[in-house]
């Protein structure tokens, strides 16, 4: 097998889910014969007749249909064309899917795939990172795979879970990231991963920001600093234990997120470390996020709007001097 | 007030080429012959009508008890009654079978009982008994047993239309035919995007869905002229390419007939069915509301006539029920309601200490597996 992209891993995970489990079906806009806006379902409609269905442009009803089917024992995977459009299905996700088991005792095993995050030129409505919004609601699992291996194994994990899963796959990684082969094993569900071990600062991040953070860590290594990078993998549940253990080693925390800071994943990470690991800190916990405007269109603006290896490296240098 | 009629889409469309096997017939070929029917109730049996009246009576007396429990402070939150809408509600519940999917809405106590819900579980849910299906985690009209095809509504109107569609799609995947899914909504709920998305989706998939619209003239306090501008909500069916039917909302026999035809058409593969019935809610939106916004003239019109009294008159006139039976039923139901309420009032409330405080089905409270 030649190299597999992050996007192809998502396609192959759906293919495996369809092949292994007759309860699985895919539902979304343009995902049938056309194979999806990003081709994440390419050729699957042909390979699995009747199980990869084009939906009307009706995000609310798409999620509602998935919920109703899940109640009857199916395992639907809904593709939002872009994460941004999931706001049109927000009611069904947070009020019906997230509450169903608590209210009625009936599980709601749906997966909603959200092609997330920014790419150059995508602008305000095709670039959003929605993970913090969904993670706010009890009852939802929120996954943010940052590697090809995780894109594949975590999507299969999502299908197997009895709870609704918001699967935030990052569009910036679709074609950039490649692996030689599919993974044959995965980390346990809900565990964060030490993507790079270090002893001077802990960077906690997820999604596309993992790769910016790793590049920043590499940059600082030439100055003699040893930066540890933690990839959250799932933001809900949040693996506080791994974060605290890392901060115990380094004494310093920088939380990096592509989304806006207000009430976001980085805010949650800093809050947990401050309240549960205050004594471990040698400096005030820091965070770096997108600028607080809608995601801009022009690449020059977009490239400054979100954190990059350069701005993360600057934040790290600042933190090391505190 | 116009009697029942059917409007069909002008042109039946070809079945879509989706993987879900399309319905065998197109919606335009409705076999219904009810156009121009004067509501004689053709096809409604004595047995069905008697069951309908008896269940309406149960709903009415149970709801009167709920109102009393609310006024005495035993029920918290709210009580939302279906007084005046029992005929329409019960007709849908009675035409569904075990194995069908049903998502009732706010004023469907009668339909719920007809579908198999009980006086006991209604009282348990309203009073928050730990033994009820919602275990005190949700209350009043938000009750159901989704795994048994009895969906538990959320408050966001229109949301249950697509959920029922999903249940029907699952049944289709499993190769089950002859299943019907049904949900109810008020005329105000037809203004939501969810209602539109759900009906359009059902039409695209040719699902055996029945949607019953209780047009009770006021969405909470908002009159119809501030809710929609089309002269007849039935006309919307044509826009979706589905069959629209009209029933007389406070006439039990007409509701049984029209909804019976709609359910039969859906069951035989004729696609989604929209039933609209005009009526008047004879109470406030909830028991906190005195409904002073409903004009006296409307209350005194045909629309304001109580469906329970009309059904009683109608059944006695047809010789399908005697005065004595009506009285005996009333006494028996009243006794059951009182006894059940006394029992439930002694049942344990949920204990915050015993509550697991976990919203996940497969994970621990902290998300651990």
């Amino acid at each position: 097998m030649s190299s597999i992209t992050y996007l192809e891993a998502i396609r192959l995970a759906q293919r495996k889910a369809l092949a292994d489990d007759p309860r699985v079906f895919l539902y979304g806009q343009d995902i049938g014969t056309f194979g999806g806006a990003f081709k994440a379902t390419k050729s699957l409609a042909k390979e699995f007749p009747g199980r990869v269905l084009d939906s009307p442009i009706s995000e609310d009803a798409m999620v509602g249909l998935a919920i109703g089917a899940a109640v009857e024992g199916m395992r639907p995977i809904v593709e939002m064309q872009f994460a941004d459009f999931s706001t049109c299905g927000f009611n069904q996700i947070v009020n019906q899917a997230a509450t169903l088991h608590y209210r009625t005792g009936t599980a709601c095993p749906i997966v909603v795939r959200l092609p997330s995050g920014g790419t150059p030129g995508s602008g305000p409505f095709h670039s959003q990172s929605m993970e913090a919004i969904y993670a706010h609601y009890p009852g939802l699992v929120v996954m943010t795979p940052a590697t090809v291996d995780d894109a594949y194994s975590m999507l299969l994990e999502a299908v197997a879970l009895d709870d609704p899963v918001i699967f935030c796959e990052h569009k910036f990684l679709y074609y950039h990231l490649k692996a030689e082969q599919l993974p044959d094993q995965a980390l346990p569900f809900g565990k964060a991963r030490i993507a790079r071990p270090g002893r001077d600062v802990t960077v906690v991040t997820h999604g596309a920001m993992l790769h910016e953070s790793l590049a920043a860590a590499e940059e600082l290594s030439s100055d003699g600093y040893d930066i540890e990078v933690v990839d959250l993998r799932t933001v809900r549940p949040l693996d506080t234990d791994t974060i605290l253990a890392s901060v115990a080693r380094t004494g310093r925390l920088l939380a990096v997120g592509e989304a806006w800071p207000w009430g976001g994943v980085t805010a949650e990470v800093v809050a947990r470390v401050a309240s549960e690991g205050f004594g471990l800190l040698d400096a005030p916990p820091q965070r770096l996020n997108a600028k607080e405007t809608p995601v801009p269109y022009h690449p020059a603006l977009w490239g400054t709007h979100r954190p990059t290896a350069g701005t993360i490296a600057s934040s790290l240098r600042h933190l090391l001097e505190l | 007030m116009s009697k029942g009629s059917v409007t069909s889409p002008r042109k039946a469309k070809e079945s879509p080429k989706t993987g879900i096997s399309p319905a065998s017939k197109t919606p335009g070929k409705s076999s219904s012959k009810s156009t121009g029917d004067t509501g004689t109730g053709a096809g409604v049996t004595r047995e069905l009508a008697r069951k309908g009246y008896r269940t309406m009576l149960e709903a009415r007396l149970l709801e009167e008890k709920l109102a009393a429990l609310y006024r005495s402070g035993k029920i918290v939150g709210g009580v939302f009654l279906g007084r005046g809408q029992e005929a329409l509600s019960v007709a849908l519940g009675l035409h569904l079978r075990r194995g069908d999917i049903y998502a009732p809405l706010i004023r469907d106590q009668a339909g719920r009982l007809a579908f198999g819900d009980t006086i006991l579980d209604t009282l348990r849910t309203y009073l928050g008994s730990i033994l009820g299906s919602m275990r005190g985690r949700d209350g009043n009209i938000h009750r159901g047993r989704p795994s048994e095809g009895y969906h538990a509504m959320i408050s966001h109107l229109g949301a249950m239309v697509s959920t029922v569609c999903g249940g029907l799609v699952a049944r289709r995947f499993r190769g089950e035919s002859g299943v019907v899914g049904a949900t109810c909504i008020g005329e105000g709920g037809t203004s939501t995007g969810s209602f539109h998305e759900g009906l359009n989706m059902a039409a695209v998939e040719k699902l055996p869905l029945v949607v019953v619209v209780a047009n009770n003239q006021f969405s909470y306090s908002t009159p119809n002229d501030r809710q929609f501008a089309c002269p007849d909500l039935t006309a919307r069916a044509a826009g979706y390419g589905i069959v629209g039917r009209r029933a007389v909302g406070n006439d039990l026999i007409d509701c049984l007939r029209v909804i019976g035809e709609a359910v039969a058409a859906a069951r035989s593969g004729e696609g989604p069915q929209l039933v609209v019935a005009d009526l008047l809610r004879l109470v406030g939106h909830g028991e906190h509301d005195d409904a002073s916004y409903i004009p006296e003239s409307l209350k005194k019109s045909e629309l304001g006539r109580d469906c329970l009294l009309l059904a009683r008159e109608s059944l006695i006139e047809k010789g399908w029920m005697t005065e004595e039976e009506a009285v005996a039923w009333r006494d028996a139901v009243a006794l059951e309601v009182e006894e059940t309420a006394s029992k439930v009032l002694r049942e344990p409330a949920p204990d915050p200490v015993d509550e697991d405080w976990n919203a996940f089905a497969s994970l621990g409270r902290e998300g651990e597996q």
Side-chain angles (χ1 to χ4, degrees):
Chain A
M1 204 182 284
S2 59
S3 64
I4 297 162
T5 62
Y6 178 99
L7 177 63
E8 179 66 359
I10 287 165
R11 193 186 77 86
L12 292 172
Q14 293 184 100
R15 183 169 179 244
K16 181 170 168 57
L18 284 162
D20 290 355
D21 189 342
R23 300 172 302 174
V24 173
F25 71 98
L26 313 187
Y27 195 50
Q29 296 157 23
D30 306 301
I31 68 166
T33 310
F34 186 63
F38 294 100
K39 302 298 173 199
T41 58
K42 187 180 171 186
S43 80
L44 296 182
K46 193 173 171 195
E47 202 171 336
F48 301 95
R51 295 172 64 196
V52 182
L53 306 174
D54 284 326
S55 73
I57 304 174
S58 301
E59 285 82 4
D60 176 282
M62 285 157 60
V63 179
L65 182 142
I67 293 165
V71 162
E72 293 285 326
M74 301 297 285
R75 297 265 159 170
I77 303 175
V78 172
E79 177 179 303
M80 290 289 163
Q81 199 152 78
F82 285 81
D84 313 54
F85 305 151
S86 72
T87 50
C88 296
F90 190 67
N91 178 43
Q92 293 284 6
I93 295 173
V94 305
N95 287 312
Q96 187 120 255
T99 67
L100 193 69
H101 176 259
Y102 179 75
R103 295 167 62 232
T104 69
T106 300
C108 185
I110 66 170
V111 177
V112 185
R113 289 181 38 235
L114 265 53
S116 303
T119 52
S122 293
F125 310 118
H126 295 77
S127 301
Q128 293 172 36
S129 299
M130 314 289 294
E131 54 268 24
I133 287 178
Y134 292 110
H136 182 71
Y137 283 85
L140 298 178
V141 170
V142 182
M143 296 182 173
T144 52
T147 66
V148 176
D149 283 13
D150 278 351
Y152 182 78
S153 58
M154 288 172 72
L155 184 48
L156 289 171
E157 202 170 73
V159 174
L161 271 183
D162 282 341
D163 286 292
V165 178
I166 307 301
F167 192 80
C168 303
E169 53 195 55
H170 205 295
K171 301 194 299 292
F172 190 75
L173 307 179
Y174 271 176
Y175 315 102
H176 284 58
L177 281 190
K178 288 177 184 152
E180 283 312 304
Q181 57 189 24
L182 292 173
D184 49 17
Q185 55 185 21
L187 280 178
F189 166 80
K191 286 295 284 180
R193 179 175 68 98
I194 307 293
R196 176 190 174 110
R199 58 169 199 278
D200 296 324
V201 175
T202 295
V203 175
V204 175
T205 190
H206 65 278
M209 288 298 115
L210 170 68
H211 305 283
E212 299 295 328
S213 300
L214 288 171
E218 189 61 32
E219 187 183 324
L220 263 75
S221 71
S222 55
D223 299 342
Y225 291 114
D226 220 354
I227 309 297
E228 180 147 307
V229 179
V230 177
D231 171 12
L232 288 173
R233 300 176 70 245
T234 63
V235 302
R236 183 149 190 173
L238 186 65
D239 183 3
T240 314
D241 290 347
T242 297
I243 298 168
L244 288 172
S246 175
V247 173
R249 285 191 288 277
T250 65
R252 283 178 159 76
L253 170 69
L254 174 67
V256 178
E258 182 176 330
W260 297 297
W262 214 104
V265 175
T266 57
E268 184 67 24
V269 168
V270 168
R272 289 193 187 203
V273 170
S275 60
E276 297 173 40
F278 189 72
L280 306 173
L281 290 164
D282 296 330
Q286 304 290 302
R287 62 194 181 125
L288 184 64
N289 285 89
K291 294 189 186 303
E292 294 198 82
T293 66
V295 185
Y297 159 72
H298 195 280
L301 296 176
W302 173 76
T304 307
H305 180 266
R306 67 172 203 151
T308 60
T311 57
I312 296 168
S314 300
S315 295
L316 284 169
R317 288 201 171 90
H318 171 70
L319 174 55
L320 282 160
E321 287 165 11
L322 288 175
Chain B
M1 189 164 33
S2 67
K3 291 284 178 178
S5 64
V6 175
T7 57
S8 295
R10 215 162 272 170
K11 190 180 164 205
K13 290 187 297 182
E14 287 301 307
S15 300
K17 294 280 184 282
T18 67
I20 297 176
S21 50
S24 58
K25 290 182 190 172
T26 51
K29 294 177 183 163
S30 168
S31 59
S32 172
K33 296 181 181 65
S34 58
T35 307
D37 193 307
T38 51
T40 54
V44 176
T45 64
R46 172 182 181 273
E47 195 48 42
L48 191 65
R50 282 167 61 89
K51 211 187 266 185
Y53 180 76
R54 166 87 191 211
T55 311
M56 288 169 69
L57 194 58
E58 286 178 4
R60 178 69 61 91
L61 297 183
L62 172 56
E63 290 197 334
E64 283 174 0
K65 183 67 187 176
L66 294 174
L69 289 166
Y70 174 74
R71 286 193 294 271
S72 63
K74 298 285 199 302
I75 291 174
V76 295
V79 164
F80 306 92
L81 306 184
R83 190 183 184 94
Q85 304 194 186
E86 292 99 332
L88 182 66
S89 180
V90 84
L92 181 58
L94 282 179
H95 281 296
L96 298 176
R97 303 173 183 158
R98 265 263 174 245
D100 285 341
I101 298 168
Y102 179 45
L105 215 74
I106 176 170
R107 304 193 198 285
D108 283 312
Q109 184 61 48
R112 289 170 181 270
L113 292 173
F115 188 66
D117 194 0
T118 60
I119 290 172
L120 178 62
D121 201 50
T122 306
L123 281 159
R124 281 177 165 166
T125 304
Y126 264 102
L127 288 162
S129 164
I130 190 69
L131 303 176
S133 54
M134 308 307 277
R135 298 159 294 162
R137 292 176 172 194
D138 207 342
N140 51 63
I141 50 184
H142 303 102
R143 70 180 185 281
R145 297 175 189 273
S147 59
E148 297 171 23
Y150 178 36
H151 287 199
M153 61 171 279
I154 65 169
S155 301
H156 307 68
L157 297 175
M160 306 312 293
V161 179
S162 58
T163 312
V164 175
C165 290
L168 294 171
V169 165
R171 301 295 182 89
R172 221 177 238 188
F173 272 121
R174 291 211 298 264
E176 291 178 29
S177 59
V179 177
V180 167
T183 189
C184 311
I185 199 160
E187 81 284 351
T190 68
S191 303
T192 64
S194 295
F195 176 82
H196 165 68
E197 288 191 10
L199 269 190
N200 178 61
M201 171 178 280
V204 168
E205 294 292 353
K206 301 270 191 290
L207 294 173
L209 176 75
V210 177
V211 176
V212 175
V213 178
N215 177 10
N216 67 17
Q217 319 300 319
F218 292 87
S219 313
Y220 201 154
S221 75
T222 304
N224 283 358
D225 64 356
R226 297 302 302 167
Q227 195 63 244
F228 51 85
C230 67
D232 178 1
L233 287 175
T234 320
R236 290 195 178 177
Y240 296 112
I242 66 174
V243 178
R245 298 166 190 270
R246 172 161 280 282
V248 179
N250 55 4
D251 180 341
L252 172 64
I253 306 295
D254 197 55
C255 289
L256 283 169
R257 178 183 62 79
V258 174
I259 291 177
E261 288 169 359
V263 170
R267 208 181 291 287
S268 64
E270 292 176 29
Q273 310 282 316
L274 180 70
V275 179
V276 179
D278 290 344
L279 39 73
L280 200 62
R281 123 162 89 75
L282 303 180
V283 282
H285 168 64
E287 280 305 276
H288 57 279
D289 170 28
D290 67 2
S292 54
Y293 44 83
I294 302 181
E296 279 305 312
S297 58
L298 201 52
K299 290 181 189 167
K300 287 178 181 147
S301 73
E302 281 291 308
L303 273 186
R305 296 186 70 192
D306 184 346
C307 61
L308 189 65
L309 297 179
L310 289 175
R312 181 188 157 115
E313 276 172 26
S314 167
L315 264 64
I316 289 173
E317 192 185 300
K318 284 178 189 293
W320 286 359
M321 179 178 77
T322 63
E323 290 271 5
E324 293 71 30
E325 272 179 313
V327 172
W329 281 358
R330 187 177 178 91
D331 291 348
V333 171
L335 184 65
E336 185 187 353
V337 167
E338 282 304 321
E339 285 181 348
T340 310
S342 305
K343 170 185 151 80
V344 174
L345 281 165
R346 294 192 301 271
E347 287 181 354
D351 184 340
V353 176
D354 294 336
E355 174 75 16
D356 68 10
W357 297 109
N358 180 10
F360 293 111
S362 57
L363 307 174
R365 200 158 65 187
E366 303 298 326
E368 67 278 14
Q369 212 170 16

